[in-house]
């Protein structure tokens, strides 16, 4: 007997449902530094700890890239 698990799949990022809000770059960088410190002592052999850290880092990295893109587009407009 097989169980269809396709309905349980949920992506890390879904542009249709995730907030388009982009925090200012300085705030995102400060949060990224805090997050790195928070997960630094995580046990690399603990699957759960690594999964939690990876998902959290993924979200933070996505915010960081969005903030950098926003900052870059703002500087391009100011330079035009």
């Amino acid at each position: 007997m097989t169980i269809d698990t396709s309905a349980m799949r949920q992506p890390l990022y879904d542009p249709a449902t995730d907030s388009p809000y982009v925090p200012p770059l300085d705030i995102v960088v400060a949060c990224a530094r805090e997050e790195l410190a928070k997960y630094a002592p995580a046990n690399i052999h603990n699957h759960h700890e690594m999964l939690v850290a990876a998902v959290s880092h993924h979200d933070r990295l996505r915010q960081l890239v969005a903030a950098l893109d926003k900052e870059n587009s703002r500087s391009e407009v100011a330079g035009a």
Side-chain angles (χ1 to χ4, degrees):
M1 176 178 187
T2 349
I3 299 172
D4 180 15
T5 59
S6 62
M8 290 190 280
R9 183 186 178 286
Q10 184 176 359
L12 284 175
Y13 175 72
D14 183 358
T17 59
D18 290 350
S19 172
Y21 170 71
V22 179
L25 182 58
D26 58 334
I27 292 175
V28 176
V29 169
C31 291
R33 291 180 194 280
E34 288 176 11
E35 184 169 319
L36 287 171
K38 177 181 178 180
Y39 291 109
N43 179 356
I44 197 166
H45 300 291
N46 183 313
H47 176 75
H48 178 72
E49 286 183 24
M50 289 297 101
L51 184 60
V52 169
V55 170
S56 186
H57 289 336
H58 175 86
D59 288 341
R60 189 66 65 201
L61 182 59
R62 184 170 296 285
Q63 285 182 343
L64 185 57
V65 169
L68 286 169
D69 287 347
K70 184 177 178 181
E71 188 76 17
N72 189 31
S73 68
R74 187 180 4 240
S75 65
E76 287 175 1
V77 170

